[in-house]
Amino acid sequence: MRPRWIPAALGLLLVPPLATPARAAAPQQVTIDGAAAGRTFDGVGALSAGATSRLLIDYPEPQRSRILDYLFKPGYGAALQILKVEIGGDTNSTDGAEPSHMRTPSDLNCDRGYEWWLMEQAKARNPRIKLSALQWGAPGWTGSGQARPTVWTTRNIDYLTSWLGCAARHHLSIDYLGGWNEAYSDPAWYVRLHQALRERGYGGVKVVADDSFNWDVLKPLAADADFRAAVDVVGQHYVCGYLSDYLRCPSPDTAQALGKPLHASEQGSLPYDSGAAPLARALSRPYIDGRMTSTINWSLIASWYDTMPFQASGLMGANEPWSGAYVAGPSIWATAHTTQFTRPGWRYADSASGYLDGGGSHVALRSPDGRDYSMIVETVDATAPQRLRFSVAGGLPDRPVSVWSTDLSSPDPRRWFVRTGTARPGDTLTLRPGHVYTLTTTRGQGKGRAVSPPPAPLRLPYRDGFDTYKAGSVPRYVSDLDGAFEVAPCTGRTGRCLRQVIGEQPVWWNGWLRHPVTLVGDLRSWRDYETEVNVRLDGDGWAELLGRVDGQYADAVSGVHLRLSDTGAWQLYDENLRGQDATLCVPSDPSCAGATAPPSEPPVQRRTLATGRTPVGAGTWHRLGLGFSGDRVTASLDGVRLASVHAPVHASGQVGLAVAPWRHAEFDDLAVRPAAPSGDARYLPAQLLSATGTGFHHGYEPRKAVDGSVESMWHNEWSPRAALPQAITVDTGRARPISQVTYQPREDGNMNGIITRYALAASADGVAYTTVATGTWPLDAARKTIDLNGVRPRFLRLTALDAGGGYASAAEIQVGVPAG
């Protein structure tokens, strides 16, 4: 019989049994036994939480539908089997705040927020998809306590069941409900929740506990029979580790002995490109190591501004609604290797779940009727090809199977999710390193072919008077970090305004910010501009206009702030992510002399640039203004200049609005218009730049040093450690005069990788390089500048010869061209 050859170029080769050389090692044998023990598979899913899906709803058609198809449509892309969403609480839950459906005991709005829409879209594409929900924070009225409010109250149970009622209004049936994200367990609360669900007609909802870490919930589960009876599923976060390679994913024996389903109820937080290989491990190894039957990836989609943390973490990326651009990368296809070939309710075959001798793992699942099976094999740990022979037993069909392959080591989409041929039980397969394979008897798989439009900047001028939106809505592209900014009728003037509506501290999750902030704009292309907004304070407190916002972490919103208080006092200040007590050090600032290195803690540093007082107060409208031109910042009030200062810390960034903790304020006629750059150089937009490096740790790719965000960074490989020198090369797109290169070190307070001795080389063709500058820098987070003269390259290579800790990193590299 003629053998069925599978092209080696696609990563898998079928070896005819008689053609195997005698000296070759015996293939590893795997038997998929339909009668073997195995737990019930509950599905693979992803999380929409922490405002990570905020920008998706603002996408234009047809791009928005195509993105949703890649996520949910069976036989097209990720084909997710579970969608887990946040029950919004108007408080920061990682990358922003999600709206609450019930802000007071008498308020109920079942259409508030975008998670309802997202669940409806998921169900429309896949009616079988399971829905799960969890709260990160909640309105203050539902909680208890002052110093650290909690949700362990009867009021909060009422709040959750009202949310289930809203879901029913949207014809959505919720399958799983958790307690409080990554907080300790209150067993008595879970018992009351379980009882309330059954009394109020939600007995089919499965209770998950406790969506936290380290399996700490096992002790109270063992000690409390009522708690144990109230919990249907034990869900734990980051069972494979956090921001790592996810090599092992164990659970304690006591967890496996409970007789309850075990879920990896949040895993991930890695980018949609470089995180695909760890994701492939995390989809199989929780079952192999810990008998966990579901994995939920954080996040569903990276559809939030890069200003916020964990940029690009998701199954795909979509954070340019104005251009419609999106990225369906390898994480989609790593997921599809499980989801397109299985269904919840299938059972694992323990006989075929384990590790490959040459690196990698395999799991097999079979349908309840035994007519179909699939085996998922990943070789992302492997360093050399290895052979595997598979067979079937226990009544499974002995017929040819389709073989699908994804080369996770390749950036070429043509090598992702390819049907490479067929095999049959008894065949020996040669598995290539860095791949995911699926062997299956099922049919109906497919690979979506929709292509994204190219990325593009959000062009200026930008203006929003908020009059075209209905009351209660969120304006296009506006994204709340904390609190809630909604369209409402203006006070004291006609038309509609943007109003901060939360008047009570919510029960928070992470404790970040704890005052209302919202952002809009293009982090990368908004550099030199003037922005203005009308503002009215209802009472005491303050309101702010922010500009060049380039990062947010913990309590810091990195950018320039103009604050106006009800007393008439105003303050212009800079906030950044360089450490609470670190000196803000720039070459032109005399205060840099003798500066010490910043501490390791990253919270926030603030430097006052100017202050004053004007005869204004609450209850009246005033117009705040900020202008940015090169390193010059101007501030104005009602058209009168308040200050003009030199502040060379933030090169580009978004516009923001902020309000004192839980005060009400209104904003109107937000405008951003371009301004001419000042000085001898202007910086190339981040969209024009690309970068490569001598190496990187996954999640810290070279492109993150030219993405316009100081929150992200390039970092060379540290596991295993790569020695200096290390280099990053920036491609400007074409040869052009270059007058300046700036190097922004990491701003998180960690000194590792901050370059202290460097060489800069230039090239017109990317092959022949000439050194154009060398020098040394202090070990601090200040932005460094290299001035150039008479240089006209396309490529610039910055080499770290010495750096903090013996590593190399860069938060941002900018390329300046002559201003003329």
Side-chain angles (χ1 to χ4, degrees):
M1 182 177 66
R2 186 177 181 180
R4 295 165 304 281
W5 289 99
I6 298 173
L10 294 177
L12 185 142
L13 186 67
L14 178 64
V15 181
L18 298 179
T20 303
R23 64 180 180 274
Q28 184 171 343
Q29 178 70 44
V30 174
T31 300
I32 308 170
D33 187 347
R39 296 196 175 204
T40 300
F41 174 63
D42 289 322
V44 170
L47 250 169
S48 174
T52 55
S53 302
R54 164 62 193 95
L55 298 178
L56 178 57
I57 197 169
D58 288 341
Y59 260 70
E61 292 292 355
Q63 284 78 31
R64 187 172 70 179
S65 290
R66 291 170 178 171
I67 293 167
L68 293 164
D69 287 346
Y70 272 118
L71 293 170
F72 301 117
K73 185 178 179 180
Y76 192 87
L80 289 170
Q81 298 158 332
I82 302 173
L83 172 60
K84 185 174 180 178
V85 303
E86 176 180 350
I87 300 173
D90 297 314
T91 183
N92 185 280
S93 49
T94 301
D95 289 299
E98 299 210 8
S100 166
H101 70 288
M102 194 175 187
R103 288 169 171 158
T104 69
S106 59
D107 169 61
L108 182 65
N109 185 337
C110 292
D111 295 321
R112 192 179 285 144
Y114 42 86
E115 300 293 4
W116 309 115
W117 166 82
L118 185 61
M119 288 188 283
E120 289 169 341
Q121 293 295 316
K123 276 286 189 182
R125 286 163 173 79
N126 180 9
R128 293 191 181 95
I129 196 169
K130 304 291 185 181
L131 300 178
S132 180
L134 178 66
Q135 61 184 338
W136 269 245
W141 69 270
T142 73
S144 174
Q146 296 296 321
R148 179 59 175 106
T150 76
V151 302
W152 309 126
T153 66
T154 300
R155 294 187 300 276
N156 186 261
I157 291 173
D158 295 339
Y159 175 74
L160 294 182
T161 56
S162 72
W163 186 90
L164 293 174
C166 284
R169 291 191 189 185
H170 286 270
H171 307 289
L172 298 169
S173 178
I174 305 302
D175 299 280
Y176 300 99
L177 179 66
W180 189 12
N181 182 66
E182 295 171 358
Y184 65 90
S185 300
D186 185 325
W189 183 89
Y190 278 93
V191 172
R192 298 198 307 274
L193 174 64
H194 179 268
Q195 181 179 359
L197 292 175
R198 276 136 190 83
E199 291 175 349
R200 300 176 192 182
Y202 303 113
V205 178
K206 295 180 180 180
V207 174
V208 181
D210 61 349
D211 282 293
S212 197
F213 308 104
N214 304 321
W215 300 96
D216 292 338
V217 70
L218 295 178
K219 187 174 181 180
L221 279 172
D224 189 329
D226 291 338
F227 182 30
R228 195 162 57 249
V231 172
D232 299 293
V233 175
V234 178
Q236 290 291 282
H237 291 189
Y238 297 95
V239 297
C240 305
Y242 184 61
L243 300 181
S244 68
D245 291 326
Y246 305 151
L247 298 174
R248 289 293 184 269
C249 311
S251 69
D253 292 342
T254 50
Q256 298 179 40
L258 280 172
K260 296 181 181 294
L262 308 178
H263 288 183
S265 54
E266 181 179 325
Q267 187 66 49
S269 298
L270 292 177
Y272 49 75
D273 44 15
S274 61
L279 174 61
R281 297 186 188 99
L283 293 176
S284 296
R285 300 188 185 190
Y287 186 77
I288 297 168
D289 294 338
R291 293 300 184 257
M292 284 165 269
T293 56
S294 174
T295 297
I296 306 294
N297 188 77
W298 192 99
S299 66
L300 171 72
I301 185 168
S303 197
W304 68 92
Y305 288 124
D306 280 348
T307 316
M308 278 78 91
F310 302 102
Q311 300 93 341
S313 296
L315 297 180
M316 61 185 297
N319 65 355
E320 278 193 10
W322 49 84
S323 72
Y326 59 88
V327 180
S331 288
I332 288 286
W333 308 115
T335 303
H337 271 279
T338 297
T339 55
Q340 287 206 30
F341 304 94
T342 63
R343 285 185 183 176
W346 283 33
R347 296 184 71 86
Y348 285 94
D350 290 353
S351 65
S353 299
Y355 286 93
L356 297 172
D357 296 338
S361 68
H362 56 89
V363 294
L365 301 97
R366 76 274 196 185
S367 63
D369 59 12
R371 294 180 180 177
D372 284 299
Y373 67 88
S374 298
M375 182 166 69
I376 301 98
V377 183
E378 52 86 8
T379 62
V380 292
D381 295 351
T383 58
Q386 56 190 309
R387 298 192 302 149
L388 179 144
R389 178 180 294 141
F390 76 102
S391 60
V392 296
L396 293 179
D398 184 5
R399 66 173 189 262
V401 298
S402 297
V403 182
W404 291 72
S405 169
T406 292
D407 183 357
L408 292 180
S409 66
S410 173
D412 185 354
R414 293 173 297 179
R415 299 178 66 86
W416 301 338
F417 207 65
V418 180
R419 187 180 185 274
T420 57
T422 62
R424 68 176 308 139
D427 285 342
T428 296
L429 309 176
T430 296
L431 309 175
R432 305 295 184 186
H435 283 67
V436 183
Y437 303 100
T438 302
L439 286 66
T440 186
T441 61
T442 65
R443 297 181 180 181
Q445 293 76 30
K447 183 177 181 180
R449 302 295 180 183
V451 177
S452 168
L458 178 56
R459 298 195 179 278
L460 297 177
Y462 164 91
R463 190 164 197 153
D464 203 331
F466 312 116
D467 290 324
T468 61
Y469 306 98
K470 66 179 182 179
S473 63
V474 177
R476 186 177 63 165
Y477 308 157
V478 170
S479 183
D480 297 341
L481 299 188
D482 210 352
F485 293 75
E486 293 183 351
V487 174
C490 296
T491 303
R493 63 193 305 168
T494 60
R496 290 176 176 165
C497 296
L498 187 65
R499 180 174 176 83
Q500 198 297 115
V501 299
I502 306 302
E504 178 184 11
Q505 167 70 63
V507 179
W508 70 85
W509 167 61
N510 56 19
W512 288 2
L513 293 175
R514 283 190 270 169
H515 71 271
V517 184
T518 196
L519 297 178
V520 67
D522 190 345
L523 169 66
R524 296 173 179 84
S525 69
W526 286 16
R527 292 177 177 270
D528 295 295
Y529 60 81
E530 297 172 347
T531 180
E532 293 181 325
V533 70
N534 295 324
V535 59
R536 179 189 181 277
L537 282 167
D538 279 12
D540 64 328
W542 48 261
E544 289 185 348
L545 173 64
L546 292 74
R548 282 190 178 173
V549 176
D550 56 16
Q552 183 271 319
Y553 184 79
D555 292 334
V557 181
S558 182
V560 176
H561 301 233
L562 176 58
R563 174 178 294 185
L564 178 66
S565 75
D566 66 292
T567 64
W570 62 267
Q571 181 187 27
L572 180 67
Y573 68 93
D574 168 81
E575 196 164 77
N576 63 79
L577 308 177
R578 296 183 179 175
Q580 191 164 3
D581 299 315
T583 299
L584 184 63
C585 209
V586 293
S588 58
D589 189 339
S591 67
C592 286
T596 58
S600 59
E601 293 299 320
V604 52
Q605 185 214 348
R606 178 182 297 177
R607 182 175 72 160
T608 298
L609 303 174
T611 60
R613 185 176 296 273
T614 62
V616 302
T620 55
W621 284 94
H622 299 280
R623 192 155 183 82
L624 295 177
L626 283 171
F628 301 93
S629 182
D631 291 340
R632 179 62 53 181
V633 177
T634 58
S636 64
L637 176 65
D638 295 328
V640 177
R641 177 174 290 188
L642 299 175
S644 178
V645 299
H646 184 66
V649 179
H650 311 279
S652 65
Q654 296 178 282
V655 167
L657 307 171
V659 181
W662 320 119
R663 299 297 191 265
H664 297 298
E666 294 175 10
F667 301 88
D668 195 16
D669 193 19
L670 174 63
V672 188
R673 55 186 177 271
S678 66
D680 298 327
R682 61 179 178 84
Y683 295 117
L684 296 177
Q687 287 92 339
L688 295 181
L689 306 179
S690 61
T692 58
T694 51
F696 61 90
H697 188 80
H698 70 72
Y700 298 85
E701 297 79 11
R703 64 176 173 80
K704 295 189 175 179
V706 293
D707 62 0
S709 171
V710 298
E711 255 294 286
S712 59
M713 66 174 169
W714 165 69
H715 198 296
N716 76 302
E717 182 58 74
W718 68 72
S719 179
R721 180 168 178 163
L724 296 179
Q726 296 287 323
I728 182 169
T729 300
V730 177
D731 181 357
T732 67
R734 62 176 176 83
R736 66 183 82 214
I738 304 297
S739 60
Q740 191 178 88
V741 174
T742 66
Y743 164 69
Q744 175 60 63
R746 61 193 300 175
E747 292 192 318
D748 59 0
N750 189 329
M751 297 293 103
N752 283 345
I754 294 182
I755 299 172
T756 56
R757 187 165 66 93
Y758 70 90
L760 181 70
S763 172
D765 58 7
V767 177
Y769 281 84
T770 301
T771 299
V772 294
T774 60
T776 60
W777 289 321
L779 183 66
D780 60 32
R783 187 170 58 162
K784 279 77 174 169
T785 300
I786 303 171
D787 291 317
L788 302 173
N789 185 27
V791 177
R792 191 184 175 86
R794 171 176 173 174
F795 301 90
L796 294 161
R797 176 174 294 163
L798 179 63
T799 300
L801 303 173
D802 289 317
Y807 303 97
S809 65
E812 197 67 17
I813 294 173
Q814 295 175 308
V815 178
V817 298

